[in-house]
């Protein structure tokens, strides 16, 4: 598995973070989860980097730079003039205002102002969410994160927490960061008031995304040359044990110790030659020699799962959530601009005054090229880098 485009040992999905509204791009300072962790087994000799998580709508808006937290400390603490101490050296206090002044000097007023904009945007969302009469509960946060895990193929809590850790986050920190996302969903639920007919139509249009795709469970033996693969295939046809030969002969360090087992995977995870061969086999069947960019494989399908599409009633809440997510992505930028104007948004550092803004406000100084937009940073990370993974 030295030359794979799609790594059969990396079970992370290959989709990209996408569809972040402009307002979110303007509100984000950094990506949340830049990439999912590579599967522990040092996967193949030249395994691809771990695939990042799939884009999660507007997620990046929940990210606050450390500097924004300091702005809160300075501007909203009990010290009326920022005179409270944040440190001490040689018997002298270092005050909040001194820290703030140094940050502005070092980072520049624009960057600090951008962080303030992110903070104020999140505060704005919370204010508007209160008007819906709903509050974000722990159960809401858990359900939201469970959906992220499902969308990104994280099979265990450990895999998900490793992905967070790779971006310097803990689960508890992440829980706090997703709250504004849930609040936005509440806001747009009240704003859009979707009818059952609208949700059913959305379900019909996207029903396959609410189910689970067809999957196969396969094992393989990877060899460097066709001649080697044909020799191993001959042994298998003569009755040799597949798992034993995989441990002895396979050049894939990520699966050889488990007898070549790659686990279950859907279409789109592996490279095309490997995937085509694997999905053409019935349970218990073995392929001939299959050439892929990684070498020469012998594949054995050990199990299959047919695609499952649930009924509308079974996934009604999930349908509603995704419908609202889509509406947020489409309308968050304009909504935030209007809400800023209504709430009298003024950022003294960036000189942005929403009360004086025209009908088409200029982009906030906090706008930054979104990682995902770029990398989907993460919350965008791209979360995929490649939409296709390969063995």
């Amino acid at each position: 598995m030295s030359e794979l485009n799609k790594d059969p040992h990396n079970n992370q999905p290959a989709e990209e973070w996408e569809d972040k509204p402009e307002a979110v791009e303007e509100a984000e300072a950094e990506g949340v989860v830049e990439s999912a962790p590579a599967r522990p087994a040092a996967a193949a000799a030249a395994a691809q980097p771990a695939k990042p998580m799939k884009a999660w709508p507007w997620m990046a808006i929940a990210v606050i730079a450390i500097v924004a937290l300091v702005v809160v400390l300075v501007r909203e603490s009990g010290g009326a003039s920022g005179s409270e101490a944040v440190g001490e050296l040689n018997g002298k206090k270092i005050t909040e205002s001194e820290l703030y002044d140094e940050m502005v000097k070092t980072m520049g007023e624009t960057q600090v102002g951008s962080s303030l904009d992110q903070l104020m945007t999140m505060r704005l969302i919370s204010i508007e969410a209160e008007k819906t009469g709903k509050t974000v509960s722990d159960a809401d946060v858990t359900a939201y994160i469970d959906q992220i895990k499902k969308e990104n193929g994280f099979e265990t809590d450990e895999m998900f927490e490793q992905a967070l850790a790779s971006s310097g986050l803990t689960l508890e920190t992440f829980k706090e960061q997703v709250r504004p996302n849930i609040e936005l969903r509440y806001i747009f639920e009240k704003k859009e008031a979707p009818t059952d007919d609208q949700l059913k139509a959305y379900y019909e249009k996207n029903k396959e995304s609410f189910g689970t795709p067809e999957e196969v469970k396969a094992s393989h033996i990877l060899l460097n040359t066709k001649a080697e693969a044909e020799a191993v295939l001959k042994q298998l046809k003569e009755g040799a044990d597949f798992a034993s030969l995989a441990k002895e002969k396979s050049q894939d360090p990520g699966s050889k110790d488990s007898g070549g087992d790659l686990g279950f995977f859907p279409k789109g995870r592996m490279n095309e030659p490997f995937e085509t061969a694997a999905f053409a086999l019935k349970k218990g069947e073995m392929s001939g020699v299959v050439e892929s960019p990684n070498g020469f494989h012998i594949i054995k399908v050990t199990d299959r799962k047919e695609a499952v599409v649930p009924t509308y009633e079974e996934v009604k809440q999930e349908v509603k959530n995704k419908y609202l997510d889509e509406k947020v992505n489409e309308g968050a930028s304009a909504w935030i601009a209007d809400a800023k104007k209504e709430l009298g948004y003024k950022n003294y550092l960036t000189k942005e005054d929403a009360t004086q803004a025209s009908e088409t406000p200029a982009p906030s100084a906090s706008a930054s090229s979104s990682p995902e937009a770029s990398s989907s940073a993460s919350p965008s990370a791209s979360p995929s880098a490649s939409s296709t993974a390969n063995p």
Side-chain angles (χ1 to χ4, degrees):
M1 247 7 194
S2 52
E3 302 287 332
L4 54 162
N5 293 322
K6 292 187 179 178
D7 179 5
H9 313 293
N10 185 334
N11 281 337
Q12 305 311 323
E15 299 99 327
E16 295 187 357
W17 289 89
E18 52 196 16
D19 297 330
K20 288 197 308 182
E22 294 177 8
V24 171
E25 295 177 3
E26 295 174 1
E28 77 185 335
E30 302 170 353
V32 175
V33 179
E34 297 195 349
S35 63
R39 207 160 161 185
Q48 295 293 323
K51 282 29 165 215
M53 293 201 297
K54 177 183 176 184
W56 195 255
W58 72 83
M59 174 101 65
I61 201 167
V63 182
I64 307 180
I66 295 300
V67 63
L69 300 180
V70 177
V71 171
V72 178
L73 172 70
V74 174
R75 296 303 189 196
E76 299 190 11
S77 69
S81 59
S83 60
E84 285 197 357
V86 293
E88 184 175 335
L89 179 66
N90 196 31
K92 295 186 67 175
K93 306 290 185 183
I94 306 298
T95 67
E96 295 171 340
S97 60
E98 287 178 297
L99 172 60
Y100 174 74
D101 290 342
E102 185 60 31
M103 289 177 62
V104 172
K105 184 191 304 182
T106 304
M107 305 174 68
E109 207 167 70
T110 298
Q111 186 173 345
V112 177
S114 294
S115 295
L116 176 59
D117 177 69
Q118 294 151 16
L119 172 68
M120 292 173 71
T121 298
M122 291 182 65
R123 185 69 52 79
L124 173 153
I125 290 171
S126 293
I127 291 170
E128 293 299 308
E130 287 180 9
K131 297 177 183 178
T132 69
K134 292 187 175 183
T135 56
V136 179
S137 67
D138 290 343
D140 294 330
V141 172
T142 297
Y144 189 93
I145 292 177
D146 285 345
Q147 188 62 31
I148 294 176
K149 292 176 184 176
K150 177 182 176 182
E151 292 289 324
N152 289 279
F154 289 109
E155 297 172 358
T156 66
D157 290 342
E158 181 182 12
M159 289 173 63
F160 180 65
E161 291 183 25
Q162 285 176 351
L164 294 178
S166 71
S167 293
L169 294 170
T170 65
L171 180 59
E172 290 308 309
T173 299
F174 190 67
K175 285 180 178 180
E176 289 305 312
Q177 292 183 345
V178 303
R179 286 179 179 273
N181 305 329
I182 301 172
E183 290 175 331
L184 273 172
R185 188 181 281 170
Y186 292 160
I187 290 165
F188 273 72
E189 180 179 7
K190 181 177 180 180
K191 180 176 179 292
E192 299 292 332
T195 65
D196 204 48
D197 286 343
Q198 286 175 311
L199 295 178
K200 285 180 178 178
Y202 183 81
Y203 164 79
E204 290 297 331
K205 182 180 177 181
N206 303 279
K207 64 167 58 177
E208 290 186 1
S209 70
F210 296 103
T212 55
E214 177 187 13
E215 293 183 312
V216 297
K217 183 179 183 182
S219 296
H220 80 143
I221 302 173
L222 175 67
L223 288 308
N224 293 324
T225 68
K226 185 175 182 180
E228 290 174 315
E230 288 177 339
V232 169
L233 180 62
K234 182 174 183 293
Q235 288 181 269
L236 291 169
K237 289 182 175 179
E238 291 173 349
D241 180 68
F242 192 99
S244 297
L245 276 184
K247 291 178 180 180
E248 177 186 349
K249 305 283 189 181
S250 183
Q251 300 303 299
D252 173 14
S255 68
K256 65 179 298 179
D257 290 343
S258 58
D261 183 23
L262 298 171
F264 279 99
F265 54 87
K267 291 181 179 178
R269 183 73 57 79
M270 307 299 184
N271 63 47
E272 186 175 353
F274 187 98
E275 177 182 287
T276 299
F279 276 86
L281 296 172
K282 295 178 181 178
K283 180 178 178 178
E285 285 187 336
M286 183 174 68
S287 73
V289 175
V290 177
E291 182 177 3
S292 87
N294 315 316
F296 297 86
H297 308 262
I298 301 166
I299 306 167
K300 183 176 181 179
V301 168
T302 56
D303 205 352
R304 299 186 68 106
K305 292 180 182 178
E306 298 305 315
V308 176
V309 179
T311 66
Y312 170 71
E313 292 299 329
E314 289 174 321
V315 290
K316 186 174 180 178
Q317 186 59 52
E318 185 180 345
V319 171
K320 184 178 183 180
N321 289 342
K322 286 194 174 183
Y323 177 88
L324 292 171
D325 291 350
E326 192 170 288
K327 293 301 180 181
V328 169
N329 283 336
E330 292 170 356
S333 180
W335 176 82
I336 288 177
D338 289 342
K340 280 184 173 182
K341 187 171 184 179
E342 180 183 341
L343 295 179
Y345 172 100
K346 295 179 183 179
N347 187 327
Y348 300 135
L349 298 178
T350 64
K351 309 301 188 291
E352 180 184 356
D353 184 347
T355 64
Q356 302 299 317
S358 61
E359 290 187 8
T360 307
S364 162
S366 71
S368 60
S369 43
S370 120
E372 193 197 3
S374 79
S375 68
S376 172
S378 236
S380 157
S382 145
S384 168
S386 70
S387 26
T388 49
N390 310 87

